[in-house]
Amino acid sequence: MCIDFLTSRADNELEEGLLIERLGRRVLILSGYSLMALWCATMTITLTYQASCTWVPYMTMTCLFAFILSFGLGPGGVTNTVTGELFTQSSRPAAYMISSSTNWICFFFISLVFPLIV
């Protein structure tokens, strides 16, 4: 089971790296944040009209999942790569630790809040 997880994670990292190299960091970051903004605006509209129709709560959940998917396809995968490229070799380990720690702390808080939203 552990080996299956590690090999699937390695395949995922390889695909992510190839996607970043093919499309470019700028495109992925801008498209990811643009889609996230679109889903936030759509979610705001659906939350406003949630009591008026029976299908609107399902649309709200769809917007939430699409927001998470947009983050994973854009800024979520690119931030670790960009951190390594922004800093010189001497300050790269410290910058990467600060960036990764902040990223994982935010993921932890999101995982705590997500069940309350759903």
Side-chain angles (χ1 to χ4, degrees):
M1 176 106 176
C2 183
I3 294 174
D4 290 338
F5 173 74
L6 292 176
T7 56
S8 66
R9 184 69 184 148
D11 291 342
N12 188 18
E13 292 291 330
L14 179 65
E15 292 167 1
E16 182 180 299
L18 293 174
L19 181 69
I20 290 171
E21 289 301 320
R22 180 180 172 131
L23 295 178
R25 290 144 186 81
R26 180 183 170 104
V27 172
L28 286 174
I29 288 176
L30 289 177
S31 63
Y33 281 133
S34 298
L35 284 172
M36 288 167 63
L38 172 76
W39 294 121
C40 280
T42 308
M43 195 178 333
T44 303
I45 293 168
T46 59
L47 286 172
T48 304
Y49 297 110
Q50 194 166 10
S52 63
C53 295
T54 58
W55 57 270
V56 176
Y58 297 108
M59 185 65 182
T60 304
M61 289 307 301
T62 304
C63 291
L64 179 65
F65 291 132
F67 179 85
I68 294 169
L69 181 68
S70 299
F71 175 78
L73 291 174
V78 178
T79 52
N80 290 335
T81 307
V82 171
T83 303
E85 295 174 353
L86 286 177
F87 298 98
T88 60
Q89 186 63 34
S90 61
S91 61
R92 193 173 292 166
Y96 188 75
M97 286 306 299
I98 292 170
S99 171
S100 294
S101 298
T102 305
N103 196 14
W104 280 105
I105 288 169
C106 291
F107 284 155
F108 175 72
F109 285 125
I110 289 170
S111 67
L112 289 177
V113 174
F114 185 74
L116 301 174
I117 295 173
V118 175

